[in-house]
Amino acid sequence: MALSESGVLSGDINCTHPGKEESKDQANTPTARILTLGEQERLNGERALVSDFKQMKLEKEAQKNWDLFYKRNTTNFFKDRHWTTREFEELKACREFESQKLVLLEAGCGVGNCFFPLLEDDLNIFVYACDFSPRAVEFVRQNPLYCPDRCCAFQCDLTKDDLMENVPESSVDVITLIFVLSAVHPDKMKLVLENISRVLKPGGFILFRDYGLYDHAMLRFKPGNKLGENFYVRQDGTRSYFFSKEFLAELFEKTGFKCVSNDYVLRETVNKKEGLCVPRVFLQSKFMKPES
């Protein structure tokens, strides 16, 4: 279910999947973005929630909706993420020596836009890659760069499927959660963290990047799309949560992780076609599984 970091502004105002835009310089900050008066009034006025019946239907059909997303877009929707090693130095720094083999789990791999560039850049990485969508996993396996000696892709619902059926316990050095947890119902996020914790080595890292509170995508939802606090549904039935750093820190700490860093990433994204420059907000964080 992994999503791109850039964001999209399409003709459909409810289609807030990330996509093809140009981004200006970014800045990391410990404080949330300050809303304009109009934005505050818009959020404060949005009180009605999607009905319980529809919410249950969305939860039941979550996998089908993501499979349809990949059926429509195949492998063409997201850009490869060549920024990962720049933003997350742990992918290199956690090694004791340069040729040491690094074992990575990409939880929510989509079609491989994050880990395939890593495999190209670093010959000493082995990647476990899983996704909610069977169709996305099949696209990964069909990629010419897919090699069973260097990666293992499998379908997995992180909220209920035991990762240890495919990944040995305490065998992974680094786990990436890149635009993944936002697609999970908030009530089930802790289940995801407990699941991935079992395969992470003591002292290992989770590298996180996802939608931040008051991101432009959050502010563009029309009335009738709100599922809960900071939680929305798109027209295609996929869902997105927008994280505050306080919520995220508490979620990880309750699951036994230690916070290493946790900051908002503020940037402006330019959509030349529509002549718009909009504020994007992401949360970029690092958490460690304690040695003990």
Side-chain angles (χ1 to χ4, degrees), residues 4 23 33-34 60 78 108-109 118 129 143 147-148 159 183 230 249 252 261 264 266:
S4 163
S23 298
R33 175 178 165 247
I34 299 175
K60 184 178 180 180
F78 305 123
C109 63
L118 291 176
N143 191 302
C147 172
T159 67
N230 305 330
F252 271 86
S261 63
Y264 293 103
L266 306 182

Side-chain angles (χ1 to χ4, degrees), residues 116-272:
F116 280 128
L118 291 176
L119 289 177
E120 286 188 288
D121 292 342
D122 194 329
L123 297 177
N124 293 312
I125 286 183
F126 181 89
V127 176
Y128 291 102
C130 66
D131 199 89
F132 195 24
S133 164
R135 194 180 300 271
V137 173
E138 189 56 35
F139 281 132
V140 167
R141 291 174 176 163
Q142 292 172 0
N143 191 302
L145 294 174
Y146 185 79
C147 172
D149 292 335
R150 298 202 61 205
C151 49
C152 172
F154 56 96
Q155 191 276 333
C156 181
D157 179 348
L158 291 168
T159 67
K160 63 181 183 181
D161 298 335
D162 189 352
L163 271 173
M164 290 195 295
E165 293 181 3
N166 290 279
V167 185
E169 183 177 7
S170 301
S171 65
V172 175
D173 298 294
V174 179
I175 295 174
T176 56
L177 277 174
I178 310 293
F179 293 94
V180 172
L181 206 58
S182 56
V184 177
H185 193 288
D187 291 346
K188 295 186 176 182
M189 289 178 182
K190 190 170 184 288
L191 296 175
V192 174
L193 298 187
E194 290 170 345
N195 199 358
I196 64 178
S197 178
R198 288 191 282 270
V199 300
L200 185 63
K201 292 178 180 178
F205 289 96
I206 293 180
L207 308 180
F208 177 95
R209 186 172 173 120
D210 216 321
Y211 294 114
L213 191 65
Y214 307 143
D215 177 60
H216 183 71
M218 175 180 175
L219 301 176
R220 294 179 68 244
F221 281 105
K222 286 183 176 179
N225 292 83
K226 189 172 184 178
L227 301 172
E229 186 177 4
N230 305 330
F231 193 39
Y232 296 83
V233 60
R234 304 181 183 93
Q235 276 197 344
D236 62 5
T238 61
R239 299 167 296 177
S240 184
Y241 185 85
F242 296 84
F243 291 92
S244 70
K245 59 179 293 184
E246 293 79 13
F247 175 90
L248 189 72
E250 183 178 3
L251 178 67
F252 271 86
E253 288 164 5
K254 282 184 175 179
T255 321
F257 290 95
K258 178 182 178 182
C259 181
V260 178
S261 63
N262 187 25
D263 290 304
Y264 293 103
V265 176
L266 306 182
R267 70 196 309 172
E268 288 185 333
T269 304
V270 178
N271 186 297
K272 291 185 176 180

Side-chain angles (χ1 to χ4, degrees), residues 65-89:
N65 289 331
W66 277 106
D67 234 30
L68 288 172
F69 171 84
Y70 286 110
K71 181 180 181 180
R72 287 191 301 270
N73 296 288
T74 65
T75 61
N76 301 317
F77 196 80
F78 305 123
K79 297 178 181 179
D80 284 349
R81 296 180 181 136
H82 294 282
W83 51 265
T84 316
T85 50
R86 180 184 72 245
E87 297 289 347
F88 295 121
E89 68 274 10

